Amino acid sequence: MFSEEQRNQVRDCVLNMARSDPRVTAGALTGSAAASREDEWSDVDVAFGIAEGHSVAAVLDDWTRELERELGVLHYWDLPSGSSIYRVFLLPTGMEIDIGVTPGQDFGARGPAFRKLFGTTGEPLPSTPPDAQHIVGLGWHHIFHARSSIERGKLWRAEYWIGQVREKTLTLACLRFGKDAYHGRGIDSLPDAVKVPLEGTLVCALEVGELRRCLRVATLCFISELDALDPELFGRLEPLLQKFGAS
């Protein structure tokens, strides 16, 4: 496990590397540090704008080679998002570094967890929540696949789909209550009236009876969120969902 001092040293290393690169137009803290919510488990989250005429991927590759030399990176992977690339690094201490690079003309805040450190940024853009209708579609899809997996005797697959129904239900609840709906960030702050019933979706044994029970609970919780979101759509889908998931 890493210390706060080690994390600060790593963050300074990354910031100094970026400040000394003439291709960088601006830099910012993101994540928990930007929101003054750092704790002992927090990652290093930073983002940078890249000057016109330079490839964000090429900049990241150059930095990756330097970080491998300086910090002994164990592994990394990329998460593209629009014109940005977020590269996630794992260090030997278990520390995670998230570096986002974006073309300079697009660089700016995408939410509240953004604190400019240097350079010029564009106008803040509001973060876009997940599309509720898309989440609903995934939810009924997962209910049907959980049921078919149980009937086919594919118990591990059934457990997987039940978990996915739970995740989509929580996402809809986050949208309803104005919580962060991405990557489970807002679910702990949801009301107990939403969370407690979903405890019944946690599979305790890979047995057909237990999986049927969990799917029944998951379906009823999903239906409840659907009713709160769109009563008209609830009226169309509820009978079929009851038949496949809750019967």
Side-chain angles (χ1 to χ4, degrees):
M1 184 63 183
F2 54 88
S3 66
E4 180 181 357
E5 181 181 4
Q6 287 175 310
R7 183 176 60 216
N8 292 339
Q9 289 172 347
V10 167
R11 182 161 47 219
D12 288 343
C13 174
V14 175
L15 290 173
N16 290 336
M17 176 182 68
R19 286 179 185 275
S20 65
D21 192 322
R23 297 171 293 184
V24 173
T25 60
L29 294 180
T30 57
S32 57
S36 300
R37 291 187 285 101
E38 264 191 331
D39 61 22
E40 60 182 320
W41 297 98
S42 295
D43 309 321
V44 171
D45 297 291
V46 288
F48 303 100
I50 305 302
E52 185 177 358
H54 295 282
S55 161
V56 294
V59 171
L60 267 180
D61 289 342
D62 290 344
W63 290 356
T64 297
R65 286 188 287 270
E66 184 169 345
L67 292 175
E68 285 176 329
R69 290 192 303 269
E70 296 295 326
L71 303 176
V73 172
L74 295 179
H75 188 252
Y76 64 86
W77 55 279
D78 286 350
L79 178 63
S81 178
S83 61
S84 304
I85 301 176
Y86 297 88
R87 183 160 291 181
V88 183
F89 298 87
L90 177 64
L91 301 187
T93 59
M95 192 187 310
E96 178 183 322
I97 310 172
D98 300 341
I99 300 179
V101 290
T102 303
Q105 66 270 22
D106 299 333
F107 185 67
R110 299 294 182 267
F114 183 95
R115 187 194 307 168
K116 187 182 81 169
L117 296 176
F118 63 90
T120 303
T121 64
E123 290 296 318
L125 295 177
S127 57
T128 303
D131 178 69
Q133 295 300 322
H134 179 68
I135 300 301
V136 169
L138 291 174
W140 64 249
H141 169 275
H142 299 344
I143 289 170
F144 293 162
H145 278 262
R147 175 64 183 272
S148 65
S149 296
I150 293 172
E151 299 304 326
R152 291 167 176 161
K154 297 182 181 297
L155 305 188
W156 277 104
R157 190 176 181 189
E159 191 279 336
Y160 168 81
W161 286 121
I162 291 168
Q164 291 296 300
V165 176
R166 178 175 61 249
E167 188 271 328
K168 297 302 177 288
T169 302
L170 287 165
T171 299
L172 289 177
C174 284
L175 292 174
R176 177 159 67 103
F177 287 98
K179 308 297 183 181
D180 190 334
Y182 283 106
H183 308 298
R185 294 190 188 109
I187 59 179
D188 281 292
S189 58
L190 288 171
D192 286 344
V194 171
K195 294 183 294 185
V196 171
L198 283 164
E199 292 176 8
T201 69
L202 300 171
V203 176
C204 298
L206 287 176
E207 299 171 352
V208 169
E210 170 69 357
L211 290 165
R212 289 188 190 280
R213 181 194 67 77
C214 291
L215 177 58
R216 186 179 307 113
V217 175
T219 301
L220 293 174
C221 290
F222 178 78
I223 288 172
S224 177
E225 283 303 322
L226 178 58
D227 189 20
L229 170 74
D230 188 335
E232 191 275 331
L233 181 59
F234 164 83
R236 296 206 308 270
L237 295 182
E238 189 264 347
L240 195 59
L241 294 177
Q242 287 276 8
K243 179 179 178 179
F244 276 81
S247 63

